[in-house]
Structure formats: C-alpha cells, structure tokens
C-alpha cells in the first residue's frame, strides 16, 4: 500500500455541474434587518455536492470543508447543513481569518465519498453601493493608520515572486496621476484585469502566478482574483482573496455556465469603507450577487474541500462537483 495524498482539492471557479462537496448547523445570529437597511432582499438556496470515486476501497484521511457562508450585516444564514457519506465525525472550528471550517474524520474504508452542503440564506446588498471612504484615503497614495497597517500584515505582502517587477509595472500603469482618486484607481485596476486577460474556465488544480496570467493572457476566475489582489498589494493596498458562490439568474456573467456556481474574487481594505468587494472576472464592485464562504491571504487557504486517502497510488478514479444557486 502507498499513501496517496489526494490533496485532491476542489477549487472555486465555475463549478456548477459535471465532472470536476452531516453535521447540521443553523444560524440566527443576525435578526431581520429589512426595514432597517432598506436594501434589496433576496433569499437564496445553495446545494453543493462533491463526489470522490475510487477504483477500490481506500482509507480516508481527515477532510477539511469550507462550505458554510460567512455571516455579516449583509448576509443572514437561515440554515446550513453538511451531510457526509460514508458516515463521519464532523467537528467545527474557526480559522485565523474567522472562516467556519468543518473537519470530517472517517472510520471505514470506502470506494466513494460524497459531501453534500445545503444552505438557505438571505442576502441584503445594493447593486450600486456607495462607499464611505475616509477623507484621509479618498486620494491615492495614502497612508494606513499604524494599527490598520499592523493588523493587515501579510495581506499587504505579495504572495508570488515578481523578480523583474512586471506585475508592479503593469499595476502602476493604472495610476493616472499623483494624487489620484482611490476608488477610481481600484475600479480601473479590476477592469484592467478583465481587459487584459480572457476568461477561460479550467478544471485542473492550482492557480496561475500573476505574471503567468499576464503572459498567457487567459485565466479562470481564481486567476483573475489572484492577479487583481497581487496587483493591489504591489501598489501598497491590503487585499485578500475570497471564495464562495456566484448567483447568476440571468446567466449573463462569466464564471458560471448556469444560474450559479462556485466563484473567486477579491476584497481591498480602504479606510472608512472597510473591505470593498471587487469581482474582476465580471468587472463588478460590491457583493450584490456574491456569497462569500472564505477569506484568506492566499487562495490555497480557501479551498472548499480538501483531504487525503491511503491506498494504491492509482486508486483515485474521478472527482465531480455539482452546484446550484437558486432564488
């Protein structure tokens, strides 16, 4: 027998159906705010199934599940449930970024692993949000407060090598003047990603380095998100990667071939406004159609499902993911 670490990971981006995740948890931490916020309210149901199949029974190692959406002022969880087949002991914890992480441990061998996630939520979000940026940060460049800079920490540091400075040079091309409007700069940078890179869904593991994405001129939503976040960091901004779901009822957006899918985007911290959502894949600002599940410094930290198995090295057969986001 050989240990085959699946680290078979299910990556966010365009997973809605076809080849490619039960502890029950509910939530009512945030009371209804419809009359308080006066924002559009939409109730969404998310069904997410990940299936691993093996040629022969294998012993499953612990599997890490990041499937529970992040609650906030704009997102209210009505119910959230995870079911695992074969039966597993499921424990919950929060990681350093405050993401809900479930760990499933198994006691039997199996030739199939099925992870089902069912979520019902209310999403309050404006399609055209107004961001109350602090006066000190309206114009770029600006200086973060010392406490903010300390707390942002690694979120301000580029995570991929750029020895020739190509990414930084590319990002500085969007700085039109000195000083320049901060929000306009970030919007131009996000739109610039979509203008420079063609969207191409891909099911293979991993994420391209930003300079690789620039050189190739194509990428998936996770490549778009990483390129934007790293470019923002090169300009001195604090940025983080977000994985979750895209609600696309009109089926007009990139990143999905149906009404909803897994998706990746980014957020930039701007004083006064806080974390501002940018989806460079669809050239959008704000999260009116996005359901965040995990935020992190690096996209590998936001993988919806990851784990390992012990068995023959050729035991793995295939992985499939089915996602539906409906209203």
């Amino acid at each position: 027998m050989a240990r085959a670490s699946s680290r078979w990971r299910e990556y966010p981006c365009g997973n809605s159906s076809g080849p490619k995740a039960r502890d029950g948890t509910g939530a009512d931490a945030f009371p209804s705010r419809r009359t308080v916020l006066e924002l559009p309210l939409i109730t969404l149901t998310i069904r997410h199934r990940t299936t691993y199949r093996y040629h022969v029974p294998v012993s499953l190692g612990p599997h890490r599940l990041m499937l529970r959406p992040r609650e906030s002022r704009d997102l209210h969880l009505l119910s959230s449930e995870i079911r695992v087949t074969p039966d597993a002991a499921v424990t919950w914890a929060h990681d350093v970024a405050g993401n809900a992480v479930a760990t499933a441990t198994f006691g039997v061998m199996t030739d199939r692993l099925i992870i089902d996630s069912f979520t019902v939520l209310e999403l309050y979000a404006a399609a055209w949000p107004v961001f109350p940026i602090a006066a000190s940060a309206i114009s770029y460049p600006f200086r973060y407060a010392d406490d903010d800079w300390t707390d942002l920490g690694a979120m301000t540091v580029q995570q991929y090598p750029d020895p020739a400075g190509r990414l930084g040079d590319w990002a500085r091309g969007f700085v039109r003047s000195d000083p320049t409007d901060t929000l306009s700069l970030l919007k131009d940078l996000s739109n610039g990603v979509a203008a420079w890179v063609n969207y191409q869904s891909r099911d293979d593991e991993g994420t391209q380095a930003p300079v690789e994405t620039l050189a190739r001129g194509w990428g998936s939503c996770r490549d778009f998100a990483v390129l934007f976040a790293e470019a923002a960091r090169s300009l001195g901004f604090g940025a983080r990667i977000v994985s979750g779901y895209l609600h696309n009822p009109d089926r007009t957006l990139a990143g999905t071939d149906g009404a909803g899918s897994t998706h990746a985007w980014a957020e930039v911290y701007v004083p006064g406004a806080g974390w501002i959502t940018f989806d460079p894949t669809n050239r959008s600002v704000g999260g009116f159609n996005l359901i965040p599940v995990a935020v992190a410094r690096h996209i590998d930290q936001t993988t919806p499902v990851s784990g390992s198995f012990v068995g023959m090295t050729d035991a793995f057969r295939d992985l499939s993911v089915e996602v539906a986001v409906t209203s």
Side-chain angles (χ1 to χ4, degrees):
M1 298 285 284
R3 179 180 179 83
S5 162
S6 89
R7 297 212 47 144
W8 298 110
R9 296 188 172 189
E10 171 198 333
Y11 281 83
C13 201
N15 284 327
S16 56
S17 64
K20 298 284 159 231
R22 265 170 162 21
D23 167 277
T25 57
D28 194 19
F30 294 84
S32 176
R33 302 165 300 281
R34 192 177 316 181
T35 58
V36 177
L37 296 179
E38 297 182 351
L39 291 175
L41 164 67
I42 184 171
T43 300
L44 298 176
T45 299
I46 302 170
R47 296 177 176 87
H48 185 159
R49 166 173 283 196
T50 300
T51 303
Y52 294 89
R53 296 194 301 169
Y54 304 89
H55 292 291
V56 295
V58 299
S59 295
L60 297 171
H63 277 61
R64 185 174 185 267
L65 316 177
M66 301 184 78
L67 298 167
R68 179 187 172 94
R70 290 172 60 93
E71 290 191 88
S72 68
R73 181 180 64 88
D74 302 325
L75 192 156
H76 177 206
L77 276 183
L78 300 179
S79 64
S80 178
E81 181 181 11
I82 290 178
R83 303 172 186 170
V84 181
T85 305
D87 288 342
V90 178
T91 57
W92 287 88
H94 286 87
D95 66 12
V96 69
N99 303 307
V101 181
T103 301
T105 54
F106 304 87
V108 298
M109 298 183 69
T110 184
D111 62 359
R112 180 172 303 198
L113 169 61
I114 301 174
I115 301 168
D116 283 311
S117 174
F118 305 91
T119 302
V120 181
L121 59 85
E122 291 177 332
L123 185 64
Y124 303 78
W128 305 102
V130 176
F131 301 104
I133 296 174
S136 61
I138 288 177
S139 296
Y140 173 89
F142 64 87
R143 185 177 185 276
Y144 284 111
D146 290 345
D147 284 345
D148 286 347
W149 184 253
T150 299
D151 291 340
L152 287 169
M155 303 291 186
T156 65
V157 179
Q158 291 177 242
Q159 303 297 303
Y160 294 82
D162 182 24
R166 183 183 178 191
L167 177 62
D169 290 343
W170 180 81
R172 283 189 291 274
F174 295 94
V175 181
R176 308 301 183 189
S177 61
D178 185 6
T180 192
D181 183 77
T182 299
L183 186 58
S184 295
L185 167 60
L186 291 170
K187 288 179 177 178
D188 288 346
L189 186 62
S190 178
N191 292 338
V193 171
W196 188 276
V197 182
N198 292 318
Y199 176 79
Q200 180 174 316
S201 177
R202 57 188 183 86
D203 300 326
D204 53 313
E205 293 189 21
T207 303
Q208 297 174 170
V211 292
E212 184 180 6
T213 300
L214 288 176
R216 290 183 173 181
W218 58 268
S220 67
C221 70
R222 58 185 184 269
D223 303 314
F224 278 56
V226 168
L227 173 56
F228 171 76
E230 287 287 274
R233 288 166 177 164
S234 77
L235 296 177
F237 289 98
R240 64 188 185 184
I241 302 295
V242 190
S243 71
Y245 301 99
L246 170 67
H247 181 228
N248 182 24
D250 298 329
R251 307 191 179 201
T252 58
L253 302 175
T256 174
D257 57 4
S261 69
T262 54
H263 195 53
W265 59 97
E267 294 177 344
V268 176
Y269 186 80
V270 179
W275 290 103
I276 299 179
T277 297
F278 293 89
D279 179 7
T281 303
N282 292 297
R283 305 190 185 204
S284 65
V285 183
F288 77 98
N289 61 343
L290 300 171
I291 301 96
V293 171
V295 299
R297 163 184 55 84
H298 196 284
I299 195 165
D300 285 350
Q301 298 171 299
T302 67
T303 305
V305 178
S306 60
S308 62
F309 70 89
V310 176
M312 300 303 293
T313 53
D314 60 352
F316 180 74
R317 182 175 177 181
D318 59 34
L319 163 67
S320 66
V321 179
E322 301 168 71
V323 175
V325 182
T326 56
S327 56

